[in-house]
Structures are given as C-alpha cells and as structure tokens.
Amino acid sequence: MPGDKKKILIVDDDEMLRSLAADILSAEFEVTAAVDGQDGWEKARELRPDLVVTDLMMPRMHGYELCGLLKGKGGLPGVRVLVTSSKSFTTDVSQAAAAGADDYLVKPYLPGEMLKRVRALLGLGGAAPKPPQEPELLRTMRRPAPTADELRVAPSAGGRLAVYVRFWGTRGSCPTCNPKVAGYGGNTSCVELRVGDTPLIFDCGTGLRELGDSLAREFKGRPLQGHIFVGHTHWDHIQGFPFFTPFYNPANKFMVFSVHGAHGSLGRIFTQSMSLDYFPIPLSSLAAKLGFVEMKGPADLGVAKVSFKHLNHPGVCIGFRVEAQGRTVTYLSDHEPFAKLGGVSDLSLRQDAEIAEFARGSDLVIREAQYTEAEYASRKGWGHATYDDAAKFALESGVKRMAVTHHDPYRSDEELDAHIDYCRGLIGRGGGATDCFGAREGMKIEL
Ligand SMILES: [Zn+2]
Ligand SMILES: [Zn+2]
C-alpha cells in the first residue's frame, strides 16, 4: 500500500540528478521532487516527509538554509536530512553538519550507496549513519591550552640575552600593494621583538604571515614557543593570524595576550574571526597548543615583563611596554591624543601625560602617526594621530628612539619621507633628542 511507504522529498535544481535520485528511490519509497530550496521548504511543510534529500547550491534558497529551516524551531520534528553535493570540501561537510544534516553523500554517487544511506537514515536496516564527520584534514589535534606558566622562559643565568625588533607590517588600516608603497611596505601591523630564542609578537596584521614563514625556517625541527600581544582586534591587527605557519605545527606553543573584548572573551573573538563564514579552517583545528590570556596586570614571561595601558581608539585598545634584559620597548598603536579629540581640559591633558609617562625611559617607542594636521580635520574621531602629535609625544616622553608606524594606506614612500622629515624637524626645533624614523617592513633594530 502506498500509504505504508516512507515519504522522501528530493530537492535539487539539476533535473537530471533529481530524476536519477527519484529512479533510485521510488521503487521503495514515496518520492516527491522540488526544484530548488524554496520549493523544497514549501513542499516539506505541506507533505511532511520522513527524509529530505537535498543539494547544496541551488537558486532562491541554498541547502544550508533549508537544513536550518527543517531542523530549527518551526521546522519538521523528526525529519532526517541527507545532503548530496558535488562539493567535497571539508568546510562544506562541517557546515552542513552544523546546519543539521544527518548525513552527507558526495556526488556522483553509486545507486547502491544512496539506497544504503537512505535506508539507514530511515531505520530500515543497516547501521545508522554517523553524522557527517569532520574529514581527516580537519580532524583536530585538539590539545589543552598551554598555561602562561608553561611558556615562561627562565631568565638566562649568564649574561644578557640579545634583544632586537623587526618590523613585518607597518601599514595601517588596510593592506596596500603598489610600487609607490614598496619602500615602507604594504603589510599591516606586525612587530617582532626577540629576546634570545623567544619571540614576542605585537599585533597580527598581514605582516604576521612572513614572520611565521621566517620563524618556521629558523626553528625547523625545534619546537617554538612564543607570546603574541594584540593591542586590539580590528582587522588590520588580526588579519594575518590564520596565516601564521607555526600554528600548524603540533610541536609549537603560543599564548595570545590582550584584554577582555567589549563584546566577549578574547578567545571568542579569535574563534569567531576564523568561523567558517570567514575562513576554511576553524581555530580549534590549529595544531599548535594555543592559549588566551586576558591581562589584568603586567605579564611576567620570565625573559621579559609586559605591562599595558589603555589607548584612545574606538573600542577596546591597549598599548604595551616591554622590559627585557635591561632594555625597554613601548608599542603604542592605534591612538588619538585625548586633548586632540576631546579638547584641552585638565583631564585630557592628564590622560595624554600618562601615555607619555608610560613610555618614559624607553630605548625604543613604536608609535603610530597616520595623518597630517590638514588631513586630520576630516578624520577627527577615527582614532589616529598626526605627525605633530608624534613629535609632541617624543618631546614629552623624552624617549631615545621613536619608530613612526601605522602608515596611511594612501601614503606613498615619497610623501612618507617628507612627513617623517617634518616630524623630526619639529622634535629638533622643540629641543628634543629623540631619534625619529619611519618604520619600514624588514627593518631590524638591535637593542
Ligand atoms: Zn589599526
Ligand atoms: Zn583600529
């Protein structure tokens, strides 16, 4: 009797594949077909099938959305869903599973395989299929997060460790690529501070990719332990994160330091930035041991101490001061002086003085300046400083050296040379002794 047969709805916009599936299934089941996701959703509500066999890429409504509707609130309780797709990407399998698919069959499939999967899903013999697995490539080598203690490196017994800074990304806001910026570089914020064999990394802009490759070459065959400090999580400061090769080596360990985000934990922000809508490999699949530390005060890394200070930038943003082996480096990006944005008041002057004080005594300050005074007029409130601000800061803090960074994406090398000269001139005329220069990608400074 037809009424005893289980009901199957086939949803596919390809007529040939639709009738192929119908041919395979109609001897045993009551089969209805729909021509796309929207049609499928409408027919599913009307017919209440036991199983929906759906394609993924369809006009009007794709298969993920249909899965979500069928399995979600207001969907069909108890309905099983088999996704059939020619897409064999690990991301699609994981994403279909997340949307509620009970099984995933890659096209082209053999009729016998289709029947087997359908019978199993409907409880008609055969082992019930396991829900779609994250395939081999994505199967995580999930390991517990390292602790900050585990990564602490004991200060060396004899002599001071070598300390140097290398710039891997000096561009602000957006990666930039054209011959006019080749001198200062187009990768976004990333600075390496090396203390002996321990890398401290400041910001994870696109410059992080090349730093990762360089570290992978250097540490070939040796485990790498590093500390990553993120001033804030705007795109230009995190976009290189998933491209950091050492994350894909299970022997490596990293701690990521910042503060709690305005809308959630630090770990959550990075997890979301690598969710499948943005990147094909989820953060949980990274092979290296990775931990997140929301700083409440200074971090003691053994070979270095790192403290932080809140800066004036939209959202949560902090700067860092590193004391290592008798040297001090301060990293301040992105920041718009308080008095510049809010007007001169006792409070704003005190807040600006505190930032200068935070940097005082540094052998090197890496700080941003993105605009000229003329440009600033139309960019007030964007959270960035001018070359005049940087000069004023150098005079107030009296630091030895100042690398100006976070260059505007529209700034050519020629213009930058002129603006840095201008900044240096202001410091000289103000009676300052700070050695001011523009940060260039690849530049290495021994300290
Ligand atoms: Zn920025
Ligand atoms: Zn920013």
Side-chain angles (χ1 to χ4, degrees):
M1 283 198 301
D4 292 343
K5 286 184 177 177
K6 296 271 188 188
K7 289 189 283 186
I8 297 180
L9 175 63
I10 297 166
V11 188
D12 201 317
D13 61 319
D14 185 305
E15 197 189 340
M16 210 179 77
L17 293 172
R18 205 163 56 226
S19 50
L20 173 75
D23 284 350
I24 297 168
L25 299 171
S26 55
E28 228 172 288
F29 306 100
E30 192 183 321
V31 173
T32 311
V35 298
D36 60 31
Q38 183 66 39
D39 188 29
W41 174 230
E42 283 158 20
K43 288 201 167 117
R45 276 186 300 177
E46 189 190 316
L47 302 167
R48 315 205 71 85
D50 301 290
L51 170 71
V52 175
V53 176
T54 181
D55 184 27
L56 283 181
M57 300 298 110
M58 298 178 286
R60 298 210 295 166
M61 184 193 291
H62 55 64
Y64 301 118
E65 188 179 355
L66 179 60
C67 278
L69 287 171
L70 290 168
K71 294 287 191 152
K73 232 171 104 184
L76 273 55
V79 72
R80 311 306 304 272
V81 177
L82 169 63
V83 167
T84 59
S85 171
S86 49
K87 298 181 79 193
S88 57
F89 299 109
T90 53
T91 299
D92 288 288
V93 178
S94 315
Q95 209 136 265
D102 298 291
D103 200 2
Y104 194 108
L105 183 59
V106 176
K107 293 171 180 169
Y109 47 77
L110 296 169
E113 183 63 24
M114 164 65 106
L115 261 179
K116 200 175 100 189
R117 303 275 193 115
V118 166
R119 283 181 191 143
L121 279 169
L122 293 172
L124 305 169
K130 287 183 231 147
Q133 295 281 312
E134 280 181 321
E136 205 58 40
L137 200 100
L138 269 196
R139 196 156 302 140
T140 67
M141 292 183 268
R142 286 189 186 94
R143 353 174 126 246
T147 62
D149 282 343
E150 197 180 328
L151 267 68
R152 190 166 296 137
V153 178
S156 63
R160 294 205 304 195
L161 296 171
V163 178
Y164 70 81
V165 161
R166 187 178 286 172
F167 295 98
W168 293 92
T170 61
R171 195 63 50 175
S173 306
C174 182
T176 310
C177 181
N178 70 65
K180 290 182 178 163
V181 304
Y184 284 90
N187 278 308
T188 58
S189 302
C190 181
V191 175
E192 175 191 13
L193 196 171
R194 280 294 282 273
V195 185
D197 250 1
T198 307
L200 277 60
I201 298 167
F202 292 86
D203 282 342
C204 302
T206 60
L208 184 70
R209 190 181 60 83
E210 283 180 41
L211 166 58
D213 292 345
S214 164
L215 289 171
R217 281 193 298 273
E218 183 187 342
F219 283 81
K220 204 166 193 255
R222 279 191 297 151
L224 167 59
Q225 296 196 171
H227 307 275
I228 298 173
F229 291 85
V230 179
H232 70 308
T233 51
H234 286 163
W235 276 351
D236 52 327
H237 298 258
I238 63 163
Q239 229 169 3
F241 192 83
F243 298 95
F244 188 56
T245 323
F247 284 157
Y248 297 84
N249 180 344
N252 297 339
K253 296 176 187 172
F254 293 94
M255 293 304 285
V256 180
F257 293 84
S258 190
V259 287
H260 191 80
H263 304 287
S265 73
L266 182 62
R268 183 164 165 261
I269 294 170
F270 277 91
T271 302
Q272 284 181 334
S273 77
M274 287 176 72
S275 70
L276 292 171
D277 281 330
Y278 302 107
F279 198 71
I281 300 168
L283 182 123
S284 59
S285 291
L286 296 177
K289 264 183 145 187
L290 190 62
F292 292 90
V293 177
E294 295 184 343
M295 297 172 79
K296 307 284 181 210
D300 181 0
L301 310 177
V303 290
K305 280 196 178 62
V306 184
S307 52
F308 72 91
K309 178 139 194 77
H310 283 275
L311 302 178
N312 195 31
H313 189 67
V316 178
C317 182
I318 56 175
F320 300 99
R321 177 185 171 104
V322 187
E323 288 165 28
Q325 314 295 308
R327 284 83 119 194
T328 302
V329 177
T330 305
Y331 179 80
L332 303 170
S333 186
D334 309 5
H335 175 64
E336 183 168 355
F338 291 97
K340 191 109 172 176
L341 178 65
V344 173
S345 66
D346 286 349
L347 175 64
S348 65
L349 292 175
R350 178 157 55 79
Q351 287 170 315
D352 286 332
E354 280 174 14
I355 304 281
E357 201 49 45
F358 181 66
R360 193 172 302 285
S362 297
D363 298 287
L364 172 68
V365 166
I366 301 157
R367 70 145 293 153
E368 76 133 86
Q370 195 161 342
Y371 308 128
T372 64
E373 289 298 313
E375 289 164 345
Y376 178 78
S378 61
R379 290 162 175 77
K380 189 171 174 172
W382 289 18
H384 298 289
T386 67
Y387 302 103
D388 290 61
D389 297 329
K392 190 160 173 274
F393 166 86
L395 291 169
E396 278 172 14
S397 62
V399 296
K400 272 188 214 158
R401 301 167 93 182
M402 178 171 75
V404 174
T405 191
H406 207 273
H407 310 308
D408 193 82
Y410 292 99
R411 193 81 63 212
S412 70
D413 290 338
E414 214 176 309
E415 290 166 339
L416 252 178
D417 283 340
H419 295 317
I420 300 295
D421 276 349
Y422 165 80
C423 188
R424 201 181 291 127
L426 287 179
I427 296 169
R429 285 196 293 282
T434 304
D435 171 20
C436 167
F437 56 94
R440 289 173 185 265
E441 226 173 282
M443 184 185 256
K444 185 176 173 184
I445 299 164
E446 307 279 355
L447 290 164

